[in-house]
């Protein structure tokens, strides 16, 4: 039995390796949270500049996006987004383990609301996580399906839109008919340096040797008798309070923290930052009003709009499909300029918005003035989302595309081309390639 145990390297001895490596990776992310956040931000910034350089190898580039993909998935590479999603979960657990005095004092309403539902309902958390992962990988799936045929591409697009709609309808049910937020999971809205400071403080406390036990027969000395320790602690306190770079000072014995005093000229801003508003004291569930009747119909229409629009695009784009065309001819022939799908999708989204506004005006006390800041922010985000219809369907093919081509040509051929306009024109052409070829490149939901 002993020989069998040691002779099986892939047996029970290899199983604990994965959790151990994951634990070590999680510790590394928490210890270097600030550096990791900067690297993620830098990689995202690069994807804005080089969105579609490799037009003949989109899938290979997108699948390598976990490092430095030149393509963008809704303007961000899927690999970086998936990794950031995992990092968010690691950092959120680390922040939850901090003492109450060191946790973020004023989380955003979006963070409070989404964190409440993820902690209350594990089903909501799983569904929201599934929805986020689909949104981060949908463009990659569309690219892979397009390699086979245009028909396969539209089947994948409709299938993914249906899955996302089912997830959103389930989330609407789990939140007791409250409007959906984007994104549905809490965002990283804290300073990563607080985790690094807490880690260094923990290492400093661990490095202090424990006091020696008293000798037999001798009475223990009370702590206040040691005047040298009291003087050292007093000097350390004064040094920390006079150091303007230290945001908090940790007391050695209790572990509690004291905030640093602000400069004399910044007293007003310091006091205003400590003031709690009405929304800060509201329960997280009360940050969004429940919808019913007309408002619930509007929310369902908003959720089902991408599915209806994708089905309409599939029908009109595939109506002229012929099996005898070459790949290049197929792409040109299937550029449908019909306004019917575009009008259907825009009408549903605009109608849902108007129904929701009318429901708020009639049902909420005070009308739009009675809306919470989180509801106004979501309405504003959905209003800006209507601008994406300028980049979709018939409007893009008939109007926007020609205008962008003229702008790109002007930037390349004019004097601005020597002053950086050529780079801007090249980036614009790369984005036009994505908008022209892929459905999910302009998806806003």
């Amino acid at each position: 039995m002993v020989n069998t145990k040691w002779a099986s390297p892939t047996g029970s001895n290899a199983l604990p390796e994965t959790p151990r490596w994951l634990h070590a990776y999680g510790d590394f992310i928490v210890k270097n949270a600030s550096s990791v956040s900067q690297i993620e931000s830098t990689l995202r910034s690069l994807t804005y500049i080089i969105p579609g350089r490799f037009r003949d190898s989109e899938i290979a580039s997108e699948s390598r996006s976990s490092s430095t993909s030149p393509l963008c998935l809704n303007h961000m590479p899927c690999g970086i987004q998936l990794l950031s999603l995992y990092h968010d979960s690691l950092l959120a657990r680390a922040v939850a383990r901090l003492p109450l005095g060191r946790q973020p004092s004023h989380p955003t309403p979006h963070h409070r609301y989404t964190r409440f539902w993820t902690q209350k309902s594990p089903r909501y958390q799983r569904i929201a996580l599934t929805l986020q992962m689909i949104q981060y990988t949908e463009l990659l799936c569309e690219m892979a399906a397009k390699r086979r045929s245009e028909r396969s591409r539209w089947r994948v697009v409709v299938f993914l839109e249906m899955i996302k709609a089912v997830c959103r309808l389930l989330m609407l049910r789990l939140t007791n008919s409250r409007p959906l937020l984007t994104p549905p999971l809490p965002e990283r809205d804290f300073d990563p340096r607080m985790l690094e400071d807490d880690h260094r403080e923990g290492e400093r406390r661990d490095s202090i040797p424990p006091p020696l036990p008293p000798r037999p027969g001798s009475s223990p000395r009370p702590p206040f008798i040691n005047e040298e320790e009291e003087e050292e602690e007093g000097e350390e306190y004064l040094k920390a309070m006079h150091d303007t770079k230290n945001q908090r000072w940790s007391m050695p014995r209790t572990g509690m923290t004291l905030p640093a005093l602000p400069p004399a000229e910044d007293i007003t801003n310091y006091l205003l930052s400590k003031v709690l508003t009405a929304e800060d004291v509201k329960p997280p569930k009360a940050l969004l009003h429940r919808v019913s009747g007309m408002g619930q119909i509007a929310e369902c229409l908003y959720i089902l709009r991408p599915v209806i629009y994708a089905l309409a695009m599939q029908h009109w784009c595939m109506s002229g499909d012929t099996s005898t065309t070459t790949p290049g001819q197929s792409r040109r022939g299937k550029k449908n300029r019909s306004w019917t799908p575009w009008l259907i999708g825009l009408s549903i989204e605009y109608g849902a918005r108007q129904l929701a506004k009318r429901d708020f005006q009639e049902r909420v006390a005070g009308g739009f003035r009675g809306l919470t800041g989180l509801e106004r922010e979501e309405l504003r985000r959905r209003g800006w989302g209507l601008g994406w219809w300028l980049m979709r369907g018939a409007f893009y093919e008939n109007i926007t595309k020609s205008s962008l081509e003229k702008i790109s040509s002007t930037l390349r051929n004019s004097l601005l081309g020597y002053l950086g306009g050529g780079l801007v024109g090249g980036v614009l052409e790369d984005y036009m390639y994505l908008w022209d070829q892929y459905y999910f490149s302009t998806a806003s939901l």
Side-chain angles (χ1 to χ4, degrees), residues 237-369:
Y237 174 76
L238 293 175
K239 180 180 179 182
M241 294 302 292
H242 287 291
D243 188 3
T244 57
K245 295 183 180 180
N246 291 339
Q247 297 298 322
R248 295 177 183 274
W249 182 77
S250 177
M251 291 180 280
R253 295 180 180 176
T254 62
M256 301 296 290
T257 58
L258 293 176
L261 293 177
E265 63 274 7
D266 201 28
I267 294 294
T268 303
N269 294 332
Y270 175 79
L271 294 177
L272 289 177
S273 65
K274 302 298 181 182
V275 174
L276 294 178
T277 62
E279 294 188 4
D280 292 332
V281 298
K282 277 186 177 181
K285 190 185 297 186
L287 293 175
L288 289 181
H289 292 90
R290 296 180 61 180
V291 294
S292 60
M294 189 184 305
Q296 194 167 12
I297 294 176
E299 194 67 19
C300 291
L301 284 176
Y302 180 76
I303 293 173
L304 295 176
R305 190 276 305 164
V307 181
I308 299 174
Y309 177 67
L311 288 171
M313 288 292 293
Q314 181 189 29
H315 174 73
W316 266 272
C317 288
M318 298 304 299
S319 60
D321 186 18
T322 58
S323 59
T324 60
T325 56
T326 62
Q329 293 174 342
S330 177
R331 284 196 296 265
R332 290 190 296 269
K334 293 171 186 174
K335 292 300 178 184
N336 193 279
R337 295 175 176 268
S338 174
W339 287 89
T340 305
W342 188 85
L343 290 174
I344 291 175
L346 179 61
S347 300
I348 294 175
E349 185 165 351
Y350 183 76
R353 177 178 175 82
Q354 294 303 114
L355 284 177
K357 293 171 67 175
R358 182 178 176 183
D359 179 69
F360 283 136
Q361 190 71 28
E362 296 178 354
R363 187 172 50 83
V364 178
F368 289 111
R369 294 183 178 180

Side-chain angles (χ1 to χ4, degrees), residues 372-394:
T372 63
L374 188 58
E375 288 173 328
R376 288 193 295 268
E377 180 182 351
E378 180 63 19
L379 279 177
R380 192 181 306 112
R381 188 199 64 80
R382 294 185 182 186
W384 283 106
L386 289 172
W388 278 106
W389 286 103
L390 303 178
M391 314 302 298
R392 295 177 186 149

